[in-house]
Structure formats: C-alpha cells, structure tokens
Amino acid sequence: MIDRESLVRRHAVEITRPDPAHVLTVGNGDFAYTADITGMQTFVGYHDQSAAFAEQRLAVHNATLSNWGWHSMPNPDGFVLDDAMSTYETARGPVRYPDKFDTAAMMGGELPEELRAGAWLHMNPHRIDLGRIGLQLRTAPGAEPETYPEALANPRQRLDPWSSTLTSSFGYAGQEVRVTTVADPHHSRVAFRIESPLVASGLAGVVLKFPYASDGFFQTSDWASPDRHESTLEPSGERAATIRRVLDDTAYTVRLDWTEGTLSATADPHEFVLTGTADTLELVVGFSPEGDLGSRTFVSVADAAATWWRDFWTSGAALDLSGSTDPRAAELERRVVLSQYLTAVNGSGSLPPQESGLVANSWFGKFHLEMHWWHAAHFAAWGRPELLARSMDWYLSVLGEARATARRQSYEGARWPKQVGPAGQESPSDIGSLLIWQQPHPLYLLELLHRAQPEDRRAELVTKFAELVDETARFMASFVEKRSGVYHLPAPLMPAQEFYDAKTTEDPTFELAYWWWGLEIAQLWRERLGQERDKRWQHIQDHIAEPHQRDGRYTAVATEPHLRRDDHPSLLCALGVVPAGPLIAPDVMEATLLDVLGDWQWDSAWGWDFPAMAMTATRLGRPDLAVDALLMDTPKNSYSAVGHTAQIGSLLPLYNPANGGLLAAVSLMAAGWDAAGTDCPGFPRDGSWQVQHEGFIVWP
C-alpha cells in the first residue's frame, strides 16, 4: 500500500522569491482564489497580464473566479447569433454556420461592420473577477501602500496539497508577517489568518478592491470604469458586513466576517480597508449570487478544507515512482501530484472547465467542449468519478440548445458546439463553428464514468443519460455522407488540427476512428437499456471510410494537403485516445507515430499533444516512446514550479488540458486497458522504472 500522505507532501510547492508567473490557488472546482507571494492578492500590478503581454514576458494575474460569476456587456444593437452566420453549400443544400468572427476581435483590433455581431457574441458572456483581497502594507502611517514585492524581505511560501493550505511569510518594516490561506471546499468562500505586530500598529491591513468586468481575451478586470458598477457596504454587526455588487445585469453579495478591527470604505470607489488592533487578524470572505452565505470562522473553513482534501488524496488512485532510477521519474511524479491538485481546484466543478481553469481568463472565460475530455476524463480513470459527474449534468441542461443547433443545420439529434458559456450557445468562430471532434466526447466521458461507478449505480447512470447519448449519436449518424456505399465525414468541417481549409477538408483520420467508437458506445448504452443495436448506426460503422494513407503511414485528412507538420499531431489519437477498432492498423499507426516523432514542429504543438502521443505509444506496445513523448523536453511541455504549463506566454500562461492529459496518459500507462494483458504497459521494463500504483480504473 502506498503511503499517500508522504507521496503528496514530498511535492509541496515551495517558493522563496517573487515571480510574476508563479501564483498559487486554493479552491473547490467551482470557486478559486489565486494568491501572490504574500498569500493574498497584494501586488495586482506586478501580476498584470496585459502589461506582461505587451512586454512579451510571462505573468499570471491573481484573481477570484467562479463558475457562477458571469457578465455580458450592454447590447444596444441587439446582436443575435443569426447576425454572425454565413451560408455554406453542401450536399444537403445550403447550411448556415456562425463563422463571422476574426481573431482581431480577441485582441481589440478594428472590425468591419459585418464582424461586429460575431465579436460581441464571441466575447459575451465573460467570466468576472469577483474581487481582489490583498494586504495593505505601509512603512509609516499615511505612507503610500506597497505595490511591488521587492519591498518584502526573505519571502517564503508553501502550498501543502494534502490539506490545500497556503502558508506565506516575509519580513516587512523590520517585522515578520505570516499569512495562512484556505478555501471552503463546498462554497465560494476564502479564509485568512494574518499574524504580525504590523497589524496592531496599523502598518498592515486588508484591502478589498472590486473591478468592473472586462471583455478582453484574457483579462478578468477593468479598473478604469468606476462609474459602470456599484459596491455598497452594509454593516451586519460589530465584526461582519456585506458588500452588494452590481455590474449591469449581474449582481452578487460579498459576506465578510472578521475577529477584530474595523472595516470602512476608502476615498477610492469600490475599495474597502479592514484594520486591526491586535497581532492576529482572521478574515472570512464569501461570495454568492443568491444572497448572504452566512457566518463562518477561519478555523471552520480550514477544518473543512483539511477533511475534504484528505478524503480526496486517500480515495481513488495513487502512483509512486520513488524506487525508479530513471532520472526523469521524480519530475514525472511531481507533475502527477500537482496536476491532481490543479485539476481538482480548477476543473472538478459544475461546468466544463475553461482552458486556464479558475486562475486566468482565456477566451473570455468561456469553456471549450473539445477540451472537456482532456480536462476531466482522468477523474474517472483515477477512480474519482464523482468529480467528472459534476460537469456532465451541464450537458443535460443545454440539450435543447444543442438540438436547436442541429435542426438549424438540417441534422438530426444534438450537435455540441466548441466554445460556450453556461447557457450553451455557441460562440461565432471561423474555426470553432466547424469543429466536430468534440461531438463524441460526452459519449466517451459517460463510458468512462460508467466504468468507474459502483456496479449498483450503473443502471441509474445509463437511464439518466440515455436521451443525451441517443441524441448525440443521432447527430453523428446524420452528419456522415454516403457515396458509393461508403460513409464519409464531409466538408465543411475543421479537424482537431485546426489549420486546414474547412470548406474542402474531409475524412480526418482521428475523427473517423472517433466516429466509429462514439457510435459503438451509443450501441453499448442501447444494449444496457435492453434495446437492440441500432441498425442504421451499425451500417455506418460497418461502411465508414477508412483513413487515408500515404507511404505506409496515415495522413491527417483524406484531402489535400493531407498532412501538415504543425499544431496538434491529432491523427495519432485514432489509436491511443481512441481504443483499438476496425479502422486503424497498429503497424501503420506505429509507422505514423515514428514519423511524427521524427519530424514535427514542436514549438507549435500544445500541452495535451504530448500525453496523446504517450497514449498512442502505450497502446502500440512502445513504452520507451511513451515515456519519451510524455516527458519531451520542449517549452510547451514544461511544468513550472507551481505546476503550470505556459503555451503562448501571457496570452495563455497556464493550460489545464496539459495537466488533465498527463493524468489520463499516466493512468493508461499504469493500469492499461481491457486487452492489454500486462501491468504498467506504458513504462519500460528495463529496471529503470519501479511503478507502484493502486486504485486505477482499466481503460476501454
């Protein structure tokens, strides 16, 4: 049995110097508070992503985000999705897609009139920063507060993932300051204990600042529009208060409870300061869209967090590589532990996660459904199905919207879009509106959830999601196009490798294999419901086009240019992410894998590509290549001291699909799949890897 506490705690994060890219987060999947070196959100400017992006350096802002905090800018023109449509001629007749959008809209460029509707709809709704809670440090009464961490002496910060406790200490003005930060595991609430003589002397206090929303690509906050929102302080007793927040049609409540001291508004709009008279100050701040969350103490929040996280780490799977001699083993173990923490904090909530989780907005805080698998599939594989189940109910809530999309395009069933907010309406995009590989994702996620569920709960799961499975598969069956007895994935479509001409691209290799597998899952669910296999779906499965080959290797698509060697090598997912099926020959896929590994533009790849390649190598019986791919030394596969993987600088300074993908790959490498026939099929058997594992769910 693995000593889980020792395993987890030997990878506690320790930071001894400020770094604008190093932030640490506490949260619960639906709410997260991200802190700087002080354990609070003290140095907002130092972590400003906008300034860092302009200067081409890496930074991550320290925000407070949630899955319920959304906002839309006023829409005086009344833009609707129909305003962003273009018509494509297809074999089914004209079909309209919401593709009137240009990348310039994300970066604030000038837009022609015809793209204005698409830009507004793409950027709205957007996730909001609920408020910044930081220390206010002064060298003397009345002095200007510190704005940069250079003023701190000997900073030390430690995140203990076993209890999700963040402890920060530093010297300032000749005194020691210690801050302990924890988040409520069940509610949008964060708690602090601040210990320093500076609190009693008035040189250290807590400042709360509330921004207006931003519709920038990665911004969460607009600090230059104080007249566009409201922050109203309402005392609730001697040591409690609420702040009512209103931003256009968005409203929420902030509840504060503290142990001693005084909370008051400052001369700056939307800013409040809490000052104390003792050396220790405890503060609990709760956020809610539905009114006051009620009173809590620091101790009660810390105890709840410690209990939840202990249960998290002692449930599900664990992987211990401490006996390995391969010099990469310790780093892989570190990445595995921190990725479990980060995906639980950022991706285990009630919505599919956004790519930068609840740390930094990317794509306006919206989530990408083609990334949901990479964020969350591992929860089931690691024996924590309840954390995946939380976000699957969302698909049921927007099934009507998905049906409407399919009907608008003359398809049956329900079509799942790419980029969406909570209501499920797709965002206009010249790429996203034509993407299809997200369509089988709910089926695969549900199949993994079914495997990980206790046997006595599987029938309930099948019944609950039966309609969703059926509607998803019905779209897939109606999307294919029959020619000379063969079913094709026809143009217009955009494959997962997003740089082909959507108007002419057909039969992408990954998507063909995934279409077969998705329909097979839907057939399995029919059988579990006591129904016969669908004959139409079966005919499609039996006669779907075989992936295109050239020189004994698969190409990405069946149409010219067949294969580009940049972006995602997603053709490999056809055997790796997708289990073995009738469309993919293992020997041809092995030749394809070797070709990709030998000649690809790795600076253009993304963080989930490396786990994807590891999964392919594992299923092909090449554990040597699996480990090499998973740990490839290239910038987009680098994991920082806090576990983040930057992809495109401050535009995307962290990327949770890489963390989730790593965990999915490692679980396959350790536990294998139904027909694997061996333990740890993804790790070399030369003695350099000693793998202890427990609790994994075997893959299909």
Side-chain angles (χ1 to χ4, degrees), residues 665-681:
V666 165
S667 66
L668 181 73
M669 293 165 68
W673 58 99
D674 291 334
T678 184
D679 189 44
C680 296

Side-chain angles (χ1 to χ4, degrees), residues 180-194:
T180 307
T181 311
V182 291
D184 192 313
H186 306 295
H187 301 283
S188 299
R189 185 184 283 123
V190 61
F192 311 92
R193 174 181 283 154
I194 306 162

Side-chain angles (χ1 to χ4, degrees), residues 149-160:
E150 287 81 359
L152 308 183
N154 301 316
R156 299 191 66 85
Q157 188 169 50
R158 186 177 191 272
L159 173 66
D160 174 19

Side-chain angles (χ1 to χ4, degrees), residues 228-314:
R228 300 184 68 178
H229 58 122
E230 301 173 13
S231 304
T232 306
L233 176 63
E234 300 175 359
S236 302
E238 188 178 353
R239 298 187 182 93
T242 57
I243 299 172
R244 309 289 181 184
R245 296 278 296 134
V246 179
L247 302 83
D248 303 307
D249 293 333
T250 298
Y252 62 96
T253 298
V254 184
R255 163 79 186 223
L256 300 97
D257 292 274
W258 60 93
T259 51
E260 60 86 33
T262 303
L263 178 71
S264 58
T266 74
D268 294 327
H270 316 291
E271 181 178 289
F272 306 87
V273 171
L274 174 63
T275 56
T277 57
D279 288 358
T280 298
L281 173 62
E282 294 179 354
L283 169 67
V284 179
V285 185
F287 303 84
S288 173
E290 299 172 348
D292 195 333
L293 272 179
S295 175
R296 290 293 186 276
T297 65
F298 172 86
V299 171
S300 67
V301 175
D303 287 348
T307 298
W308 192 94
W309 282 96
R310 183 180 63 250
D311 291 345
F312 170 82
W313 291 114
T314 55

Side-chain angles (χ1 to χ4, degrees), residues 12 116 130-131 207 301 362 390 397 431 482 585 682:
R116 288 182 59 241
L130 300 176
V207 60
V301 175
S362 54
R390 289 178 180 178
S397 74
I431 292 175
K482 189 176 183 181

